[in-house]
Amino acid sequence: MEIVGFKGMPEKTLEALEPKLKKLHFPSMTVVIVTDHQGDRQRARYRVLLVAGKRVFFTEEAFGPGLGEEGARALATLINKLRQAGVRRFKEATLPPDVYENLDDLPADKALERILASAGLADPKLYAA
């Protein structure tokens, strides 16, 4: 699992993710939007996990309304781009705050396992508005 982007920097994270996206097969990709906020999307901060076969990318916390208008716009931009490219599997994982904050301290396989175990189906329109 490769960590991509910069914490709290939505536009820079989108730029860092762009070359990674060019190498992926979108129809088979699973996108997991990861947060520690449940039920309050207006304050949520997100990381995004992209799983495309053996290629796995996990962004820094750089998306969502919890990071202001730029964070909300960057999340919508990313989700819309992925949908237009053919991604159909979107999920959301809400983790306890202590687990969310310490994801980077876990071995990559354990972090991936924890995120996927917590992920449920999500409507991408929730994040792209």
Side-chain angles (χ1 to χ4, degrees), residues 84-109:
Q84 290 171 358
V87 175
R88 297 292 173 252
R89 279 188 298 252
F90 289 88
K91 296 184 175 192
E92 180 180 70
T94 303
L95 302 174
D98 61 323
V99 173
Y100 179 84
E101 291 297 326
N102 294 306
L103 281 171
D104 291 332
D105 297 335
L106 294 173
D109 61 329

mmCIF file of all heavy atoms in Angstrom, residues 84-109:
data_model
loop_
_atom_site.group_PDB
_atom_site.id
_atom_site.type_symbol
_atom_site.label_atom_id
_atom_site.label_comp_id
_atom_site.label_asym_id
_atom_site.label_seq_id
_atom_site.Cartn_x
_atom_site.Cartn_y
_atom_site.Cartn_z
ATOM 1 N N GLN A 84 -16.594 8.757 -13.757
ATOM 2 C CA GLN A 84 -16.534 8.947 -15.209
ATOM 3 C C GLN A 84 -15.562 7.974 -15.867
ATOM 4 O O GLN A 84 -15.746 7.594 -17.020
ATOM 5 C CB GLN A 84 -16.154 10.385 -15.542
ATOM 6 C CG GLN A 84 -17.246 11.365 -15.213
ATOM 7 C CD GLN A 84 -16.801 12.813 -15.339
ATOM 8 O OE1 GLN A 84 -15.650 13.106 -15.651
ATOM 9 N NE2 GLN A 84 -17.723 13.727 -15.077
ATOM 10 N N ALA A 85 -14.550 7.547 -15.113
ATOM 11 C CA ALA A 85 -13.563 6.604 -15.644
ATOM 12 C C ALA A 85 -14.053 5.158 -15.599
ATOM 13 O O ALA A 85 -13.411 4.268 -16.148
ATOM 14 C CB ALA A 85 -12.252 6.722 -14.874
ATOM 15 N N GLY A 86 -15.181 4.919 -14.925
ATOM 16 C CA GLY A 86 -15.761 3.584 -14.928
ATOM 17 C C GLY A 86 -15.787 2.859 -13.595
ATOM 18 O O GLY A 86 -16.210 1.707 -13.533
ATOM 19 N N VAL A 87 -15.361 3.509 -12.516
ATOM 20 C CA VAL A 87 -15.423 2.862 -11.200
ATOM 21 C C VAL A 87 -16.883 2.724 -10.789
ATOM 22 O O VAL A 87 -17.671 3.657 -10.925
ATOM 23 C CB VAL A 87 -14.638 3.667 -10.137
ATOM 24 C CG1 VAL A 87 -14.808 3.047 -8.760
ATOM 25 C CG2 VAL A 87 -13.168 3.756 -10.505
ATOM 26 N N ARG A 88 -17.244 1.548 -10.283
ATOM 27 C CA ARG A 88 -18.616 1.288 -9.850
ATOM 28 C C ARG A 88 -18.711 0.831 -8.399
ATOM 29 O O ARG A 88 -19.788 0.803 -7.832
ATOM 30 C CB ARG A 88 -19.261 0.215 -10.747
ATOM 31 C CG ARG A 88 -19.388 0.640 -12.187
ATOM 32 C CD ARG A 88 -20.416 1.772 -12.337
ATOM 33 N NE ARG A 88 -20.416 2.304 -13.687
ATOM 34 C CZ ARG A 88 -19.925 3.490 -14.018
ATOM 35 N NH1 ARG A 88 -19.374 4.259 -13.128
ATOM 36 N NH2 ARG A 88 -19.965 3.918 -15.262
ATOM 37 N N ARG A 89 -17.576 0.452 -7.811
ATOM 38 C CA ARG A 89 -17.595 -0.036 -6.423
ATOM 39 C C ARG A 89 -17.046 1.029 -5.485
ATOM 40 O O ARG A 89 -15.841 1.250 -5.399
ATOM 41 C CB ARG A 89 -16.758 -1.299 -6.292
ATOM 42 C CG ARG A 89 -17.491 -2.543 -6.741
ATOM 43 C CD ARG A 89 -16.667 -3.765 -6.405
ATOM 44 N NE ARG A 89 -15.394 -3.730 -7.118
ATOM 45 C CZ ARG A 89 -15.096 -4.515 -8.140
ATOM 46 N NH1 ARG A 89 -15.935 -5.423 -8.537
ATOM 47 N NH2 ARG A 89 -13.941 -4.416 -8.744
ATOM 48 N N PHE A 90 -17.970 1.667 -4.786
ATOM 49 C CA PHE A 90 -17.613 2.671 -3.790
ATOM 50 C C PHE A 90 -18.071 2.178 -2.426
ATOM 51 O O PHE A 90 -19.191 1.675 -2.283
ATOM 52 C CB PHE A 90 -18.281 4.006 -4.101
ATOM 53 C CG PHE A 90 -17.700 4.693 -5.299
ATOM 54 C CD1 PHE A 90 -18.194 4.432 -6.566
ATOM 55 C CD2 PHE A 90 -16.653 5.594 -5.156
ATOM 56 C CE1 PHE A 90 -17.659 5.061 -7.683
ATOM 57 C CE2 PHE A 90 -16.119 6.230 -6.278
ATOM 58 C CZ PHE A 90 -16.623 5.954 -7.533
ATOM 59 N N LYS A 91 -17.196 2.344 -1.444
ATOM 60 C CA LYS A 91 -17.509 1.943 -0.080
ATOM 61 C C LYS A 91 -17.076 3.054 0.861
ATOM 62 O O LYS A 91 -16.298 3.932 0.500
ATOM 63 C CB LYS A 91 -16.780 0.650 0.286
ATOM 64 C CG LYS A 91 -17.216 -0.537 -0.555
ATOM 65 C CD LYS A 91 -16.539 -1.811 -0.101
ATOM 66 C CE LYS A 91 -17.103 -2.987 -0.890
ATOM 67 N NZ LYS A 91 -16.692 -4.251 -0.297
ATOM 68 N N GLU A 92 -17.616 2.988 2.078
ATOM 69 C CA GLU A 92 -17.187 3.905 3.129
ATOM 70 C C GLU A 92 -16.811 3.089 4.346
ATOM 71 O O GLU A 92 -17.498 2.121 4.688
ATOM 72 C CB GLU A 92 -18.297 4.879 3.501
ATOM 73 C CG GLU A 92 -17.854 5.848 4.592
ATOM 74 C CD GLU A 92 -18.932 6.829 4.980
ATOM 75 O OE1 GLU A 92 -19.923 6.400 5.596
ATOM 76 O OE2 GLU A 92 -18.774 8.026 4.667
ATOM 77 N N ALA A 93 -15.726 3.492 4.991
ATOM 78 C CA ALA A 93 -15.308 2.867 6.242
ATOM 79 C C ALA A 93 -15.224 3.958 7.300
ATOM 80 O O ALA A 93 -14.487 4.931 7.120
ATOM 81 C CB ALA A 93 -13.958 2.170 6.090
ATOM 82 N N THR A 94 -16.006 3.803 8.359
ATOM 83 C CA THR A 94 -15.931 4.716 9.488
ATOM 84 C C THR A 94 -15.218 3.980 10.607
ATOM 85 O O THR A 94 -15.695 2.961 11.090
ATOM 86 C CB THR A 94 -17.339 5.155 9.945
ATOM 87 O OG1 THR A 94 -18.014 5.744 8.840
ATOM 88 C CG2 THR A 94 -17.251 6.151 11.084
ATOM 89 N N LEU A 95 -14.065 4.507 10.985
ATOM 90 C CA LEU A 95 -13.233 3.866 11.992
ATOM 91 C C LEU A 95 -13.285 4.659 13.297
ATOM 92 O O LEU A 95 -13.496 5.874 13.272
ATOM 93 C CB LEU A 95 -11.783 3.793 11.510
ATOM 94 C CG LEU A 95 -11.554 3.052 10.203
ATOM 95 C CD1 LEU A 95 -10.104 3.193 9.774
ATOM 96 C CD2 LEU A 95 -11.922 1.586 10.337
ATOM 97 N N PRO A 96 -13.061 4.003 14.429
ATOM 98 C CA PRO A 96 -12.950 4.750 15.681
ATOM 99 C C PRO A 96 -11.805 5.765 15.557
ATOM 100 O O PRO A 96 -10.794 5.481 14.899
ATOM 101 C CB PRO A 96 -12.617 3.675 16.720
ATOM 102 C CG PRO A 96 -13.079 2.390 16.110
ATOM 103 C CD PRO A 96 -12.926 2.558 14.622
ATOM 104 N N PRO A 97 -11.953 6.942 16.155
ATOM 105 C CA PRO A 97 -10.919 7.976 16.012
ATOM 106 C C PRO A 97 -9.501 7.512 16.327
ATOM 107 O O PRO A 97 -8.561 7.877 15.617
ATOM 108 C CB PRO A 97 -11.371 9.070 16.981
ATOM 109 C CG PRO A 97 -12.855 8.909 17.034
ATOM 110 C CD PRO A 97 -13.090 7.424 16.931
ATOM 111 N N ASP A 98 -9.320 6.686 17.345
ATOM 112 C CA ASP A 98 -7.962 6.243 17.684
ATOM 113 C C ASP A 98 -7.384 5.329 16.611
ATOM 114 O O ASP A 98 -6.196 5.404 16.292
ATOM 115 C CB ASP A 98 -7.920 5.571 19.053
ATOM 116 C CG ASP A 98 -8.785 4.327 19.139
ATOM 117 O OD1 ASP A 98 -9.881 4.307 18.531
ATOM 118 O OD2 ASP A 98 -8.375 3.373 19.820
ATOM 119 N N VAL A 99 -8.208 4.495 16.005
ATOM 120 C CA VAL A 99 -7.750 3.613 14.921
ATOM 121 C C VAL A 99 -7.436 4.450 13.684
ATOM 122 O O VAL A 99 -6.395 4.276 13.045
ATOM 123 C CB VAL A 99 -8.804 2.530 14.598
ATOM 124 C CG1 VAL A 99 -8.398 1.722 13.370
ATOM 125 C CG2 VAL A 99 -9.025 1.629 15.797
ATOM 126 N N TYR A 100 -8.340 5.376 13.370
ATOM 127 C CA TYR A 100 -8.150 6.248 12.206
ATOM 128 C C TYR A 100 -6.836 7.019 12.313
ATOM 129 O O TYR A 100 -6.068 7.075 11.358
ATOM 130 C CB TYR A 100 -9.337 7.211 12.113
ATOM 131 C CG TYR A 100 -9.272 8.195 10.977
ATOM 132 C CD1 TYR A 100 -9.705 7.839 9.706
ATOM 133 C CD2 TYR A 100 -8.789 9.487 11.161
ATOM 134 C CE1 TYR A 100 -9.662 8.740 8.651
ATOM 135 C CE2 TYR A 100 -8.741 10.394 10.123
ATOM 136 C CZ TYR A 100 -9.182 10.009 8.873
ATOM 137 O OH TYR A 100 -9.126 10.901 7.835
ATOM 138 N N GLU A 101 -6.578 7.598 13.454
ATOM 139 C CA GLU A 101 -5.374 8.406 13.656
ATOM 140 C C GLU A 101 -4.095 7.583 13.574
ATOM 141 O O GLU A 101 -3.033 8.119 13.269
ATOM 142 C CB GLU A 101 -5.425 9.139 14.992
ATOM 143 C CG GLU A 101 -6.464 10.230 15.048
ATOM 144 C CD GLU A 101 -6.220 11.354 14.047
ATOM 145 O OE1 GLU A 101 -5.049 11.680 13.759
ATOM 146 O OE2 GLU A 101 -7.210 11.899 13.536
ATOM 147 N N ASN A 102 -4.180 6.288 13.852
ATOM 148 C CA ASN A 102 -2.986 5.452 13.902
ATOM 149 C C ASN A 102 -2.847 4.495 12.720
ATOM 150 O O ASN A 102 -2.022 3.582 12.774
ATOM 151 C CB ASN A 102 -2.955 4.671 15.216
ATOM 152 C CG ASN A 102 -2.791 5.610 16.393
ATOM 153 O OD1 ASN A 102 -1.876 6.409 16.425
ATOM 154 N ND2 ASN A 102 -3.697 5.532 17.340
ATOM 155 N N LEU A 103 -3.609 4.684 11.661
ATOM 156 C CA LEU A 103 -3.536 3.786 10.508
ATOM 157 C C LEU A 103 -2.130 3.693 9.923
ATOM 158 O O LEU A 103 -1.685 2.619 9.538
ATOM 159 C CB LEU A 103 -4.512 4.223 9.412
ATOM 160 C CG LEU A 103 -5.970 3.847 9.629
ATOM 161 C CD1 LEU A 103 -6.845 4.540 8.590
ATOM 162 C CD2 LEU A 103 -6.165 2.348 9.590
ATOM 163 N N ASP A 104 -1.426 4.808 9.883
ATOM 164 C CA ASP A 104 -0.090 4.800 9.280
ATOM 165 C C ASP A 104 0.936 4.088 10.152
ATOM 166 O O ASP A 104 2.018 3.744 9.683
ATOM 167 C CB ASP A 104 0.375 6.219 8.983
ATOM 168 C CG ASP A 104 -0.430 6.855 7.858
ATOM 169 O OD1 ASP A 104 -0.939 6.116 6.993
ATOM 170 O OD2 ASP A 104 -0.566 8.090 7.852
ATOM 171 N N ASP A 105 0.595 3.869 11.424
ATOM 172 C CA ASP A 105 1.505 3.156 12.320
ATOM 173 C C ASP A 105 1.373 1.639 12.201
ATOM 174 O O ASP A 105 2.242 0.904 12.660
ATOM 175 C CB ASP A 105 1.250 3.561 13.782
ATOM 176 C CG ASP A 105 1.539 5.033 14.015
ATOM 177 O OD1 ASP A 105 2.352 5.619 13.262
ATOM 178 O OD2 ASP A 105 0.949 5.606 14.951
ATOM 179 N N LEU A 106 0.276 1.186 11.584
ATOM 180 C CA LEU A 106 0.057 -0.251 11.392
ATOM 181 C C LEU A 106 0.847 -0.742 10.183
ATOM 182 O O LEU A 106 1.064 0.024 9.231
ATOM 183 C CB LEU A 106 -1.429 -0.535 11.148
ATOM 184 C CG LEU A 106 -2.399 -0.259 12.281
ATOM 185 C CD1 LEU A 106 -3.829 -0.450 11.779
ATOM 186 C CD2 LEU A 106 -2.128 -1.162 13.459
ATOM 187 N N PRO A 107 1.240 -2.016 10.178
ATOM 188 C CA PRO A 107 1.791 -2.575 8.933
ATOM 189 C C PRO A 107 0.740 -2.434 7.834
ATOM 190 O O PRO A 107 -0.466 -2.514 8.091
ATOM 191 C CB PRO A 107 2.039 -4.043 9.281
ATOM 192 C CG PRO A 107 2.102 -4.089 10.773
ATOM 193 C CD PRO A 107 1.209 -2.985 11.267
ATOM 194 N N ALA A 108 1.185 -2.205 6.621
ATOM 195 C CA ALA A 108 0.270 -1.935 5.506
ATOM 196 C C ALA A 108 -0.805 -2.998 5.361
ATOM 197 O O ALA A 108 -1.975 -2.676 5.144
ATOM 198 C CB ALA A 108 1.060 -1.794 4.209
ATOM 199 N N ASP A 109 -0.453 -4.288 5.496
ATOM 200 C CA ASP A 109 -1.453 -5.343 5.336
ATOM 201 C C ASP A 109 -2.501 -5.294 6.444
ATOM 202 O O ASP A 109 -3.678 -5.546 6.202
ATOM 203 C CB ASP A 109 -0.798 -6.717 5.248
ATOM 204 C CG ASP A 109 -0.005 -7.099 6.486
ATOM 205 O OD1 ASP A 109 0.561 -6.220 7.158
ATOM 206 O OD2 ASP A 109 0.068 -8.312 6.774
#
